[in-house]
Amino acid sequence: MPVPLRTPVSDALAARRPLGRTGQNVCPVALGTMQFGWTASDVDAMRILDAYVAAGGNLLDTANMYGGDQSVESFEVNKAHVGVSEDILGRWLASRGCRDDVVVTTKVRARMWDGPDGEGLNRAHIMRAVEASLRRLRTDHIDVLYAHWPDPAAQAEEWLTAFADLVGAGKVAAVGTSNFCGFAGYGDLLSPLLELADRAGLPRIQVEQPRYNLMNRHEYEETLQRITLREDLGIVTYSSLAGGFLSGAVDPGKPPTGARARHLSQYCTPEGSALLARLRQIAAAHHVPVASVSLAWTLAQPGVTAALIGASTVDDVAQASFAPTVRLTDEESAALSALSWRASPPEFVDW
């Protein structure tokens, strides 16, 4: 039976939190747009955006590489579709005339075209890629520009200087990183960046976007959380619902199907079933969907600003919209923490 919702969707996302020291106040539930052009068509994507903003949301997250089948980790397969998510979002922003009402974030690093400067955090790639993102987004500035993941071949001072020039030109308001602390064996690359910025007078990283959810805790909690609290960073989590598993959309007793089946199969274990069963009990007690309980746990963790959802339907937005209103009891929070996983393999590593 559908869960009887206790809060009107129309005001469920009206809460705001400061995004670190950026000066921007954002909704605790961010709308990720990786699905746009993949599992959500142009028409569906614009309906999702309309529903999210109507519910009070204002934090829109994309990346220049998003578009096409993101489950295929290959530029050669997807290169005809890169930029599709930004383009859809840009057309929506232009048609709705609401650019000043939302916070728009995007990312740079992935291969976007052929040739030696087609990817990376080198200056040539960054400057060309950001200009392309601005055109697709149909805006004159990006509220937060993330370095999408580390580039071992790039010099940190070079790309931070490129970011500084973009900030100075008014094309970027704040800079951030994603996957720079604890992801895929990279270790802590964030602390050296903060030290370099202070030493060289370059822009400080103000936001980090880590993978964090009840199925994967170590990437945030092991080191990044301590840095976040010390430096007052904004933290926007991705994979916040573990590819949909933590929304209750997957029956652990059956093989998962769909575009993310390979990734979701790792959670279909007795341990995954136990966690999901407890989430359902708590959701029923609070009269909210399972997704909102999962997100509420994340949002209650020290240092977390917002949790991203990757919606493929308007209903996905509704299912997550109540997270800011859920107040877990100490017993509920402890029960979920006890059933949570310290680590799980990431869905995306290479491009």
Side-chain angles (χ1 to χ4, degrees):
M1 294 178 60
V3 174
L5 304 180
R6 63 171 174 80
T7 308
V9 173
S10 60
D11 61 10
L13 298 179
R16 294 290 182 267
R17 294 179 173 185
L19 183 60
R21 299 178 183 177
T22 65
Q24 302 170 29
N25 294 311
V26 298
C27 176
V29 176
L31 181 63
T33 65
M34 186 176 71
Q35 314 299 117
F36 295 0
W38 178 21
T39 60
S41 68
D42 291 32
V43 172
D44 289 338
M46 293 199 183
R47 288 173 178 160
I48 290 165
L49 287 160
D50 286 340
Y52 173 73
V53 171
N58 77 328
L59 180 53
L60 306 175
D61 179 90
T62 189
N64 58 4
M65 70 179 284
Y66 294 165
D69 187 351
Q70 295 294 308
S71 68
V72 178
E73 298 171 347
S74 166
F75 169 74
E76 288 303 319
V77 172
N78 280 327
K79 65 181 177 180
H81 307 287
V82 294
V84 166
S85 172
E86 285 186 332
D87 182 67
I88 293 172
L89 178 54
R91 285 187 278 122
W92 179 84
L93 289 168
S95 65
R96 302 313 190 257
C98 63
R99 176 65 184 89
D100 293 338
D101 300 323
V102 294
V103 175
V104 176
T105 73
T106 193
K107 309 176 189 77
V108 63
R109 161 65 172 92
R111 178 162 290 280
M112 296 297 293
W113 58 87
D114 292 314
D117 69 343
E119 67 171 318
L121 292 177
N122 59 80
R123 181 182 181 86
H125 179 77
I126 289 170
M127 305 310 276
R128 179 178 168 185
V130 168
E131 290 297 335
S133 288
L134 290 169
R135 286 194 298 273
R136 286 189 292 265
L137 290 167
R138 293 160 175 80
T139 186
D140 61 358
H141 72 285
I142 295 161
D143 293 306
V144 179
L145 176 66
Y146 292 98
H148 204 161
W149 70 90
D151 177 6
Q155 295 296 317
E157 188 163 0
E158 177 185 357
W159 67 263
L160 277 181
T161 299
F163 277 27
D165 292 344
L166 291 166
V167 171
K171 296 178 180 182
V172 170
V175 301
T177 52
S178 182
N179 303 308
F180 268 68
C181 190
F183 179 79
Y186 284 121
D188 175 16
L189 300 180
L190 185 56
S191 292
L193 286 176
L194 294 169
E195 294 168 3
L196 172 62
D198 290 342
R199 187 172 65 251
L202 294 169
R204 274 188 131 246
I205 301 302
Q206 294 174 310
V207 190
E208 162 66 15
Q209 194 174 111
R211 184 171 70 115
Y212 186 46
N213 56 52
L214 279 161
M215 315 302 286
N216 184 77
R217 296 177 58 180
H218 83 102
E219 288 175 23
Y220 175 60
E221 294 180 7
E222 185 172 314
T223 302
L224 178 56
Q225 187 175 57
R226 171 177 49 80
I227 297 170
T228 295
L229 296 175
R230 184 187 70 218
E231 303 290 343
D232 193 20
L233 299 179
I235 292 292
V236 181
T237 68
Y238 75 88
S239 192
S240 306
L241 292 171
F245 182 84
L246 292 171
S247 70
V250 177
D251 184 344
K254 300 178 181 178
T257 60
R260 308 177 93 157
R262 181 167 59 92
H263 175 67
L264 290 170
S265 63
Q266 68 178 308
Y267 304 130
C268 297
T269 66
E271 294 80 8
S273 297
L275 174 57
L276 196 54
R278 191 70 178 98
L279 283 167
R280 286 176 172 146
Q281 290 174 354
I282 296 171
H286 287 265
H287 302 289
V288 297
V290 170
S292 286
V293 173
S294 300
L295 295 172
W297 180 90
T298 299
L299 293 174
Q301 304 311 304
V304 173
T305 307
L308 278 166
I309 60 166
S312 293
T313 67
V314 169
D315 186 61
D316 290 340
V317 175
Q319 294 293 307
S321 290
F322 308 97
T325 73
V326 176
R327 298 294 178 264
L328 299 174
T329 67
D330 290 344
E331 186 276 332
E332 290 168 340
S333 182
L336 292 177
S337 295
L339 292 167
S340 65
W341 295 13
R342 292 305 302 171
S344 61
E347 184 171 8
F348 305 108
V349 177
D350 301 316
W351 171 247

